[in-house]
Coordinates of all heavy atoms in Angstrom, one line a residue:
A308 N 12.4 25.3 5.6 CA 12.0 23.9 4.9 C 12.7 22.8 5.7 O 13.7 23.0 6.3 CB 12.3 23.8 3.5
I310 N 13.0 18.2 5.8 CA 12.5 16.9 5.3 C 13.1 15.8 6.2 O 14.0 16.0 6.9 CB 13.0 16.7 3.8 CG1 12.4 15.5 3.1 CG2 14.6 16.6 3.8 CD1 12.5 15.6 1.6
A318 N 17.3 13.7 9.1 CA 16.5 14.8 9.0 C 17.4 15.9 8.5 O 18.6 16.0 8.9 CB 15.8 15.3 10.3
G319 N 16.8 16.9 7.7 CA 17.6 18.0 7.2 C 16.7 19.2 7.2 O 15.5 19.0 6.8
A320 N 17.2 20.5 7.5 CA 16.2 21.6 7.5 C 17.1 22.9 7.2 O 18.3 22.9 7.5 CB 15.6 21.7 8.7
V321 N 16.4 23.9 6.7 CA 17.0 25.1 6.5 C 16.1 26.2 7.2 O 14.8 26.0 7.1 CB 17.3 25.6 5.0 CG1 18.4 24.8 4.5 CG2 16.1 25.3 4.1
A322 N 16.6 27.2 7.8 CA 15.8 28.2 8.4 C 16.2 29.6 8.0 O 17.4 29.8 8.0 CB 15.9 28.1 10.0
I324 N 16.3 31.0 5.1 CA 17.2 31.0 3.8 C 16.6 31.8 2.7 O 15.4 32.1 2.8 CB 17.5 29.6 3.3 CG1 18.5 29.5 2.3 CG2 16.2 29.0 2.6 CD1 19.0 28.0 1.8
W325 N 17.5 32.4 2.0 CA 17.0 33.2 0.9 C 17.9 33.0 -0.4 O 18.8 32.2 -0.4 CB 17.2 34.8 1.2 CG 18.5 35.2 1.5 CD1 19.5 35.7 0.6 CD2 19.2 35.2 2.8 NE1 20.7 35.9 1.2 CE2 20.5 35.7 2.5 CE3 18.8 35.0 4.1 CZ2 21.6 35.9 3.5 CZ3 19.8 35.2 5.1 CH2 21.1 35.7 4.8
G326 N 17.4 33.5 -1.6 CA 18.2 33.5 -2.7 C 18.3 32.1 -3.3 O 19.3 31.8 -4.2
V327 N 17.4 31.1 -3.1 CA 17.3 29.9 -3.8 C 15.9 29.7 -4.2 O 14.8 30.0 -3.6 CB 17.7 28.7 -2.8 CG1 19.3 28.8 -2.4 CG2 16.9 28.5 -1.6
N329 N 14.4 26.3 -4.5 CA 13.7 25.2 -3.8 C 14.4 24.9 -2.5 O 15.3 24.0 -2.3 CB 13.7 24.0 -4.8 CG 12.9 24.1 -5.9 OD1 13.5 24.2 -7.0 ND2 11.6 24.3 -5.8
P330 N 13.9 25.5 -1.3 CA 14.5 25.3 -0.1 C 14.4 23.8 0.4 O 15.2 23.3 1.0 CB 13.6 26.1 0.8 CG 13.1 27.2 0.0 CD 13.0 26.7 -1.4
I331 N 13.4 23.2 -0.1 CA 13.2 21.6 0.3 C 14.3 20.8 -0.2 O 14.9 19.9 0.4 CB 11.9 21.1 -0.3 CG1 11.6 19.8 0.4 CG2 11.8 20.9 -1.8 CD1 11.2 19.8 1.9
S332 N 14.9 21.3 -1.4 CA 16.1 20.4 -1.9 C 17.3 20.8 -1.1 O 18.2 20.0 -1.0 CB 16.3 20.8 -3.5 OG 15.1 20.5 -4.1
V333 N 17.4 22.0 -0.7 CA 18.6 22.4 0.2 C 18.5 21.7 1.5 O 19.5 21.1 2.0 CB 18.6 23.9 0.4 CG1 19.9 24.2 1.2 CG2 18.7 24.7 -0.8
A334 N 17.3 21.5 2.0 CA 17.1 20.7 3.2 C 17.5 19.3 3.1 O 18.2 18.7 3.9 CB 15.6 20.8 3.6
R335 N 17.2 18.7 1.9 CA 17.6 17.3 1.7 C 19.1 17.2 1.7 O 19.7 16.2 2.1 CB 17.0 16.8 0.4 CG 17.3 15.4 0.1 CD 16.5 14.9 -1.1 NE 17.1 13.5 -1.5 CZ 16.5 12.7 -2.3 NH1 15.5 13.0 -3.0 NH2 17.1 11.5 -2.6
K336 N 19.7 18.2 1.1 CA 21.2 18.2 1.0 C 21.8 18.3 2.4 O 22.7 17.7 2.7 CB 21.7 19.3 0.2 CG 21.6 19.2 -1.3 CD 22.6 18.2 -1.9 CE 22.5 18.2 -3.4 NZ 22.6 16.8 -4.0
V337 N 21.2 19.2 3.3 CA 21.7 19.2 4.8 C 21.6 17.8 5.3 O 22.4 17.3 6.0 CB 20.7 20.2 5.4 CG1 21.2 20.2 6.9 CG2 20.9 21.7 4.9
M338 N 20.4 17.1 5.1 CA 20.3 15.7 5.6 C 21.3 14.8 5.0 O 21.8 14.0 5.9 CB 18.9 15.2 5.2 CG 18.6 13.9 5.7 SD 16.9 13.4 5.4 CE 16.8 13.1 3.6
E339 N 21.6 14.9 3.8 CA 22.5 13.8 3.2 C 23.9 14.2 3.2 O 24.8 13.3 3.1 CB 22.0 13.7 1.7 CG 20.7 13.0 1.7 CD 20.0 12.8 0.3 OE1 20.5 13.5 -0.7 OE2 19.1 12.1 0.0
K340 N 24.3 15.5 3.2 CA 25.7 15.8 3.0 C 26.4 16.4 4.3 O 27.5 16.9 4.2 CB 25.9 16.9 1.9 CG 25.3 16.4 0.6 CD 26.3 15.4 -0.1 CE 25.8 15.0 -1.5 NZ 26.3 13.8 -1.9
T341 N 25.6 16.6 5.4 CA 26.2 17.2 6.6 C 25.9 16.3 7.8 O 25.1 15.5 7.7 CB 25.7 18.7 7.0 OG1 24.4 18.6 7.5 CG2 25.5 19.5 5.6
D342 N 26.6 16.8 8.9 CA 26.3 15.9 10.2 C 25.4 16.6 11.1 O 25.1 16.3 12.1 CB 27.7 15.9 10.9 CG 28.7 15.1 10.2 OD1 28.4 13.9 9.8 OD2 29.9 15.6 10.0
H343 N 24.7 17.7 10.4 CA 23.9 18.6 11.2 C 22.4 18.4 10.8 O 22.0 17.7 9.8 CB 24.2 20.0 11.0 CG 25.7 20.3 11.3 ND1 26.3 19.9 12.5 CD2 26.7 20.8 10.5 CE1 27.6 20.1 12.4 NE2 27.8 20.8 11.3
V344 N 21.5 19.0 11.5 CA 20.1 19.0 11.1 C 19.5 20.2 10.5 O 18.8 20.2 9.6 CB 19.2 18.5 12.4 CG1 17.7 18.5 12.0 CG2 19.6 17.1 12.9
I345 N 19.9 21.4 11.1 CA 19.4 22.6 10.6 C 20.5 23.6 10.3 O 21.4 23.8 11.1 CB 18.5 23.4 11.8 CG1 17.5 22.4 12.3 CG2 17.8 24.6 11.1 CD1 16.5 23.0 13.3
L346 N 20.4 24.2 9.2 CA 21.4 25.3 8.8 C 20.5 26.5 8.7 O 19.4 26.5 8.2 CB 22.2 25.0 7.6 CG 23.2 23.9 7.6 CD1 24.0 23.8 6.3 CD2 24.2 24.1 8.7
S347 N 21.0 27.7 9.2 CA 20.2 28.9 9.2 C 20.8 30.0 8.4 O 22.1 30.2 8.3 CB 19.8 29.4 10.6 OG 20.9 29.9 11.2
G348 N 20.0 31.0 8.0 CA 20.5 32.3 7.5 C 21.6 32.2 6.5 O 21.6 31.4 5.5
E349 N 22.6 33.1 6.8 CA 23.8 33.2 5.8 C 24.5 31.9 5.6 O 24.9 31.5 4.5 CB 24.7 34.2 6.5 CG 25.7 34.8 5.5 CD 25.6 36.3 5.7 OE1 24.8 36.9 6.4 OE2 26.6 36.9 5.1
G350 N 24.5 31.1 6.6 CA 25.2 29.8 6.6 C 24.5 28.8 5.6 O 25.1 28.1 4.8
A351 N 23.1 28.9 5.7 CA 22.4 28.0 4.8 C 22.5 28.5 3.3 O 22.6 27.6 2.5 CB 20.8 28.1 5.2
V352 N 22.6 29.8 3.1 CA 22.7 30.3 1.7 C 24.2 29.9 1.3 O 24.3 29.4 0.1 CB 22.7 31.8 1.7 CG1 22.8 32.3 0.3 CG2 21.3 32.3 2.3
K353 N 25.2 30.0 2.1 CA 26.6 29.6 1.8 C 26.6 28.1 1.4 O 27.2 27.7 0.3 CB 27.5 29.8 2.9 CG 28.9 30.0 2.6 CD 29.6 30.6 3.8 CE 31.0 30.3 3.8 NZ 31.7 30.8 4.9
F354 N 26.0 27.4 2.2 CA 25.9 25.9 1.9 C 25.2 25.6 0.7 O 25.7 24.7 -0.2 CB 25.1 25.1 3.1 CG 24.9 23.6 2.9 CD1 26.0 22.8 2.9 CD2 23.6 23.2 2.6 CE1 25.7 21.4 2.6 CE2 23.4 21.8 2.4 CZ 24.5 21.0 2.3
A355 N 24.1 26.2 0.4 CA 23.3 26.1 -0.9 C 24.2 26.4 -2.1 O 24.2 25.6 -3.0 CB 22.1 26.9 -0.9
R356 N 25.0 27.4 -2.0 CA 25.9 27.7 -3.2 C 26.9 26.7 -3.4 O 27.3 26.2 -4.5 CB 26.6 29.1 -2.9 CG 25.6 30.2 -2.8 CD 25.0 30.7 -4.1 NE 23.9 31.7 -3.9 CZ 22.6 31.5 -3.8 NH1 22.1 30.4 -4.1 NH2 21.8 32.5 -3.6
L357 N 27.5 26.2 -2.2 CA 28.4 25.1 -2.3 C 27.9 23.8 -3.1 O 28.5 23.2 -3.7 CB 28.9 24.7 -0.8 CG 30.0 25.5 -0.1 CD1 30.3 24.9 1.2 CD2 31.3 25.3 -1.0
M358 N 26.7 23.7 -2.7 CA 26.0 22.5 -3.4 C 25.5 22.7 -4.8 O 24.8 21.8 -5.3 CB 24.8 22.0 -2.4 CG 25.1 21.5 -1.0 SD 26.0 19.9 -1.2 CE 27.6 20.4 -0.6
G359 N 25.8 24.0 -5.2 CA 25.4 24.2 -6.6 C 24.1 24.9 -6.9 O 23.6 24.9 -8.0
F360 N 23.4 25.2 -5.9 CA 22.1 25.9 -6.0 C 22.3 27.4 -6.4 O 23.0 28.1 -5.8 CB 21.3 26.0 -4.7 CG 20.8 24.5 -4.3 CD1 21.5 23.7 -3.5 CD2 19.5 24.0 -4.8 CE1 21.1 22.5 -3.1 CE2 19.2 22.8 -4.4 CZ 19.9 22.0 -3.6
E361 N 21.8 27.6 -7.5 CA 21.9 29.1 -8.2 C 21.2 30.1 -7.5 O 20.1 29.9 -7.0 CB 21.6 29.1 -9.7 CG 22.6 28.4 -10.5 CD 22.2 28.1 -11.9 OE1 21.2 28.5 -12.3 OE2 22.9 27.2 -12.5

Side-chain angles (χ1 to χ4, degrees):
I310 193 158
V321 286
I324 195 172
W325 62 85
V327 295
N329 294 113
I331 193 72
S332 300
V333 186
R335 181 171 174 175
K336 287 282 186 221
V337 172
M338 175 172 80
E339 291 175 341
K340 304 282 184 201
T341 80
D342 297 310
H343 308 304
V344 174
I345 309 180
L346 292 182
S347 73
E349 205 132 342
V352 178
K353 197 168 163 182
F354 171 72
R356 298 287 174 258
L357 273 177
M358 292 292 114
F360 291 90
E361 280 166 17

